[in-house]
Amino acid sequence: MKPLLLDPLFKNITVLTGIGAKNAKYFEKLIKSGKIIDLLWHLPIDFIDRRYTPKIMEAPDGKIATIKVIVDKHYPNSRKSVPYKVKVMDNTGFMDIIFFHPIKDYIEKSLPVGEEVLISGKIEKFRGKTQMTHPGYMLFPQKIEELPYIEPVYPLTGGLSNKVLRKVIKEALKIIPELPEWLNTELKKKKSWESWKKSLTDCHMPKGINYIEPEHSSRSRLAYDELLANQLALAIIRHKQRDLYGRSFAGSGILRNKILESLPFELTNAQKNALKEIKKDMAEPLRMIRLLQGDVGSGKTIVACLAMIQAVESGVQAAIMAPTEILARQHAESFKDFLDKAGIKFVIITGRDKGKKREILKQQIANGDAQIVIGTHALFSEDIKFKDLGLVVIDEQHRFGVHQRLALSGKGVSTDILVMTATPIPRTLTLTAYGDMDVSRLNEKPAGRKPIDTRLISQEKIEEIIEGIKRQIDKGSRVFWVCPLVEESEKIDLAAAQERYEILQARFGKRVGIVHGQMKSDEKDTVMEKFAKGDIDIIVATTVIEVGVNVPQATIMIIEHAERFGLAQLHQLRGRVGRSSEQSYCFLIYSLPLSENAKERLSIMRDTEDGFIIAEKDLQLRGGGEILGTKQSGIPEFKVADIVAHSDLLQIARDDARLIISKDPDLKSERGKALRCLLYLFEYDKAIENLKSG
Ligand code: ADP
Ligand code: MG
């Protein structure tokens, strides 16, 4: 039950003075939930500084100023096309106040002749005269406290003015309760943070322009609150999943050693470390919940395979779940050698297996004959029962958010989980999305791979590139040629690829093929197959090159208008080459002019192949505010915290949260109760359902 104390914050915004029948719809557009708390989280993005109070003659052009004037004379407009002017003065001189499309009554009321008025707005110099167009404020001296010397500027939607929104937020601030403090006393003191209420109020009623900075104590306190709530929710999941239902799967090591000895290569140090971590997790009487991150080709498969064998050695079953049927079959292929060698029985089951065959497979899974099961999501359909499932490996986490993790964990009560992903996720984001998991990173390529030679080349030199390609394909290389998204439109996009295709075809004839998003998938497959077999040497593609396509002979990647791509995408595309012991190349073709950001992206690509570094830079360049694709990836969006600016706070929050849950797993202490309030504030009600009632 939500504490009563929080009630006012979860009321609908329409109870606030200032929101009426007329403007409610605009507010509802801006504040989707319609809750007062979300109105309060709607923080200013900028300030207007009105503190400069010069005399008329001192006021320089272009500056925002607040000036005390006496109204001298009105010059109403005779025609619509001319503005309404009001002449005002102080003891240094005169200035004009200008109104276009004037509302006469309002101007007369605001600026009565002979009265003293405080005006605030931008100073303009026009033909040697000082003037101000549409002042932001015109107030009589007795109303001076209504003037926001530092005026917060909010993100708005059409129909709402900043002034109206500000007024309503001020109303909301009046009703917020004092909440019990959930912060660690020492941390609060060290950071000089104020209470939640005071910090929130300061954010909306700033006393200096530095209040807008993410580092300002009012903002950083709220950001920390949000990050702590996020980490606490994850720590609760982790505790429930990991600590409460674990089994020990130590294994004998016999089969594993047999396979290790037969490997034709030496494991990389990163693989060895990951295996050590997994082995330890599985052996402990806790549940393993681990994320294995590594670029394509970093060697995740063998690591997963050895983990599954450890489960089998311990007398339980293991399963691996792939995102598509093709990938499931590919896994089966690559495991076969190892599993046969170890004498382990495995089956592969997908949605395609129907009728009698499916019955037999189901039986083998149910009676334990199948020691390892390879499949797709169909693995977890209701009709499949395992004899004793000890480990699940999930390939590709991005369709696998927290909710699916929770559903899966309901299935086999104490199943260890290993999630593999080829998407490098920056450390900070990993913490916010997978803070409940432990992480192993394969940040090293297997020995013997040559680095991809990446070069930045101007569009003007495209002829030279085509010449170069000719020499390379004569030597047996194969080439990807990617044409970018030119506009938002598929058609124009396609036209660019088509044009390039024709140019190359004129040169290389039948050795060129094209794939794009408008083709049917079997048409695409046919072209890709020809490419893989070597019937075609060059593939022109829009950005739709199928994920997971593996053509080791492809050694050249050309990306046109590379400046238009994001870092993550460039990295993904480049990953299609460099899969053999041959030297691979990536040519990033750019057109001038280049923005600073584009320049930086291209040079990062030239300088490193490390997906983790690229992901980290990508996050910095794009900023915490607009991380693309966060919805699909299960990475939460924050209301206050800025994942880049507040990354140091995230680390603290994580440690804080884990410590709290280790001491007070059901949040029953005084601080625990305050922390429950915090969880509600940030809508982690689900996490609270996991706790014993307080
Ligand atoms: P991932 O699944 O991470 O994309 P894979 O596990 O498919 O990568 O490995 C890619 C290729 O590298 C496979 O052919 C695999 O046999 C090989 N490989 C894996 N580990 C090593 C290693 N330590 N040294 C050499 N080759 C390796
Ligand atoms: Mg275990």
Side-chain angles (χ1 to χ4, degrees):
M1 273 272 286
K2 210 174 266 178
L4 287 178
L5 192 61
L6 298 177
D7 266 4
L9 297 170
F10 287 87
K11 288 218 172 90
N12 199 284
I13 49 175
T14 47
V15 306
L16 296 169
T17 317
I19 304 189
K22 256 165 69 188
N23 60 8
K25 59 175 185 280
Y26 304 124
F27 275 97
E28 274 153 20
K29 215 154 140 204
L30 191 67
I31 309 297
K32 299 271 178 338
S33 71
K35 299 272 183 286
I36 289 180
I37 182 72
D38 287 313
L39 178 69
L40 290 165
W41 293 141
H42 193 69
L43 298 183
I45 43 167
D46 199 4
F47 294 146
I48 299 172
D49 188 348
R50 302 189 182 279
R51 290 176 299 179
Y52 179 54
T53 51
K55 294 288 186 186
I56 289 176
M57 280 306 136
E58 303 163 357
D61 189 25
K63 204 155 156 102
I64 302 277
T66 301
I67 310 180
K68 200 183 269 180
V69 297
I70 293 169
V71 181
D72 184 39
K73 193 164 187 223
H74 283 238
Y75 299 89
N77 52 335
S78 47
R79 274 174 292 127
K80 265 204 168 144
S81 55
V82 291
Y84 189 131
K85 255 195 242 175
V86 180
K87 198 168 166 197
V88 300
M89 59 184 213
D90 67 7
N91 57 6
T92 66
F94 292 93
M95 70 186 275
D96 290 332
I97 305 183
I98 312 284
F99 300 93
F100 295 95
H101 313 292
I103 302 170
K104 196 156 171 272
D105 276 1
Y106 168 72
I107 297 171
E108 280 171 355
K109 236 189 257 165
S110 309
L111 298 168
V113 174
E115 295 285 330
E116 197 177 48
V117 182
L118 213 54
I119 56 166
S120 184
K122 194 195 241 167
I123 300 294
E124 293 156 351
K125 297 282 185 186
F126 185 70
R127 294 190 181 143
K129 283 179 161 182
T130 302
Q131 64 177 47
M132 185 182 287
T133 309
H134 297 174
Y137 289 85
M138 299 184 283
L139 297 167
F140 298 119
Q142 65 270 28
K143 293 224 165 168
I144 188 165
E145 77 282 357
E146 280 181 26
L147 183 87
Y149 277 97
I150 295 172
E151 183 182 358
V153 177
Y154 293 95
L156 295 169
T157 53
L160 266 191
S161 74
N162 199 58
K163 235 179 198 169
V164 170
L165 178 60
R166 211 179 131 252
K167 230 183 209 162
V168 172
I169 288 178
K170 270 167 97 175
E171 288 299 316
L173 288 171
K174 283 186 201 156
I175 61 159
I176 59 178
E178 285 288 357
L179 296 180
E181 185 55 82
W182 48 75
L183 289 185
N184 171 307
T185 318
E186 259 166 59
L187 180 67
K188 187 176 171 190
K189 211 161 128 196
K190 190 171 142 211
K191 297 280 186 187
S192 316
W193 282 333
E194 305 272 4
S195 73
W196 173 77
K197 179 174 175 171
K198 174 86 166 59
S199 304
L200 191 56
T201 309
D202 281 351
C203 281
H204 290 289
M205 313 270 275
K207 296 188 189 69
I209 45 168
N210 63 335
Y211 278 50
I212 201 78
E213 288 159 15
E215 297 79 25
H216 190 270
S217 69
S218 61
R219 287 215 170 213
S220 62
R221 146 100 213 207
L222 298 183
Y224 186 78
D225 287 342
E226 183 168 31
L227 295 169
L228 181 61
N230 165 266
Q231 291 300 302
L232 199 57
L234 289 164
I236 290 169
I237 298 181
R238 178 180 166 84
H239 174 68
K240 297 287 161 192
Q241 311 270 307
R242 181 173 176 273
D243 302 352
L244 298 186
Y245 311 99
R247 286 166 76 186
S248 168
F249 303 128
S252 61
I254 296 172
L255 297 179
R256 263 172 295 162
N257 285 336
K258 207 157 149 187
I259 285 173
L260 283 172
E261 276 159 23
S262 73
L263 281 182
F265 49 73
E266 172 90 16
L267 293 179
T268 64
N269 283 327
Q271 284 171 317
K272 284 182 192 159
N273 276 335
L275 276 168
K276 208 156 84 193
E277 288 165 336
I278 292 168
K279 190 170 151 196
K280 180 161 171 287
D281 273 2
M282 289 181 65
E284 270 181 300
L286 299 171
R287 180 164 189 196
M288 172 168 77
I289 308 174
R290 187 169 281 279
L291 182 67
L292 178 62
Q293 284 187 307
D295 264 327
V296 171
S298 58
K300 295 183 291 295
T301 312
I302 181 73
V303 174
C305 192
L306 288 167
M308 292 200 288
I309 291 172
Q310 180 169 342
V312 171
E313 283 177 350
S314 314
V316 291
Q317 291 167 295
I320 179 163
M321 186 163 91
T324 66
E325 197 156 320
I326 296 175
L327 286 173
R329 294 193 189 283
Q330 242 174 49
H331 276 312
E333 199 105 329
S334 45
F335 289 166
K336 194 174 182 321
D337 272 356
F338 299 132
L339 299 182
D340 285 350
K341 224 170 262 160
I344 292 174
K345 280 211 212 94
F346 72 96
V347 299
I348 167 163
I349 183 166
T350 69
R352 203 191 281 170
D353 298 308
K354 298 251 155 64
K356 187 115 189 269
K357 173 143 188 249
R358 189 176 183 86
E359 287 311 310
I360 295 171
L361 287 171
K362 271 165 60 181
Q363 209 168 28
Q364 289 174 325
I365 296 170
N367 66 20
D369 276 356
Q371 294 168 291
I372 286 180
V373 183
I374 301 166
T376 55
H377 284 69
L379 259 187
F380 291 96
S381 59
E382 282 301 317
D383 67 326
I384 295 177
K385 301 269 188 297
F386 287 84
K387 177 162 185 249
D388 187 6
L389 183 59
L391 168 69
V392 180
V393 179
I394 297 157
D395 188 9
E396 283 303 335
Q397 108 297 336
H398 59 261
R399 300 160 208 219
F400 223 75
V402 178
H403 293 292
Q404 283 96 328
R405 294 206 301 272
L406 284 170
L408 184 66
S409 60
K411 191 110 183 168
V413 183
S414 41
T415 316
D416 281 352
I417 300 179
L418 180 67
V419 178
M420 302 198 287
T421 174
T423 317
I425 307 171
R427 222 172 262 281
T428 43
L429 293 185
T430 308
L431 267 188
T432 63
Y434 306 103
D436 57 331
M437 307 177 87
D438 297 293
V439 180
S440 299
R441 295 181 141 201
L442 300 184
N443 53 1
E444 206 180 336
K445 286 236 163 117
R449 298 265 168 79
K450 291 202 182 79
I452 299 170
D453 185 346
T454 300
R455 299 184 192 181
L456 312 184
I457 294 171
S458 155
Q459 181 82 31
E460 293 154 19
K461 299 203 172 146
I462 203 127
E463 267 310 310
E464 289 169 40
I465 295 200
I466 294 176
E467 275 310 308
I469 286 181
K470 186 161 171 11
R471 285 193 300 272
Q472 291 291 332
I473 58 177
D474 287 343
K475 284 198 290 181
S477 302
R478 266 166 248 169
V479 181
F480 281 115
W481 191 303
V482 177
C483 294
L485 212 69
V486 179
E487 318 243 316
E488 293 297 291
S489 142
E490 279 255 8
K491 267 198 199 131
I492 302 177
D493 187 15
L494 184 54
Q498 197 74 38
E499 191 184 328
R500 177 57 63 205
Y501 171 61
E502 277 157 25
I503 291 173
L504 290 171
Q505 215 181 20
R507 192 69 160 261
F508 298 103
K510 282 195 179 141
R511 291 154 80 186
V512 191
I514 181 167
V515 288
H516 55 74
Q518 306 280 293
M519 288 161 74
K520 294 210 184 77
S521 61
D522 54 339
E523 291 174 331
K524 274 188 279 188
D525 286 351
T526 312
V527 181
M528 287 310 298
E529 248 162 60
K530 278 192 185 165
F531 184 60
K533 276 197 286 182
D535 297 345
I536 290 176
D537 300 317
I538 304 174
I539 279 226
V540 178
T542 54
T543 46
V544 299
I545 306 180
E546 291 291 293
V547 187
V549 28
N550 194 6
V551 182
Q553 298 89 338
T555 51
I556 299 178
M557 170 62 66
I558 295 170
I559 304 176
E560 265 191 88
H561 284 296
E563 76 279 1
R564 292 180 185 159
F565 289 89
L567 271 176
Q569 213 175 2
L570 289 173
H571 178 64
Q572 287 281 331
L573 288 171
R574 183 170 60 183
R576 321 274 146 150
V577 298
R579 294 180 177 204
S580 72
S581 52
E582 292 294 308
Q583 176 64 54
S584 285
Y585 299 89
C586 175
F587 299 115
L588 301 175
I589 302 179
Y590 62 86
S591 297
L592 298 172
L594 287 179
S595 68
E596 281 308 309
N597 199 296
K599 258 185 222 164
E600 194 152 351
R601 266 179 285 144
L602 293 178
S603 53
I604 289 164
M605 285 301 293
R606 185 191 49 205
D607 295 343
T608 183
E609 249 185 87
D610 183 329
F612 291 106
I613 294 175
I614 291 174
E616 215 66 63
K617 297 270 186 198
D618 191 30
L619 181 63
Q620 283 165 17
L621 283 179
R622 276 196 276 160
E626 44 167 328
I627 299 150
L628 296 174
T630 45
K631 285 237 163 63
Q632 299 94 290
S633 57
I635 295 163
E637 287 172 63
F638 290 106
K639 301 168 196 285
V640 185
D642 173 329
I643 210 67
V644 176
H646 296 126
S647 63
D648 56 329
L649 295 180
L650 182 61
Q651 301 288 341
I652 303 173
R654 173 202 157 103
D655 295 343
D656 201 0
R658 288 204 175 176
L659 188 66
I660 291 164
I661 292 301
S662 73
K663 283 195 193 149
D664 181 14
D666 285 299
L667 299 180
K668 286 186 157 171
S669 65
E670 272 314 299
R671 188 181 174 204
K673 282 180 195 146
L675 285 160
R676 284 175 178 238
C677 285
L678 173 68
L679 287 169
Y680 280 116
L681 283 186
F682 287 100
E683 292 170 56
Y684 288 104
D685 303 30
K686 276 264 174 330
I688 295 175
E689 287 166 20
N690 270 282
L691 302 172
K692 295 208 188 82
S693 53

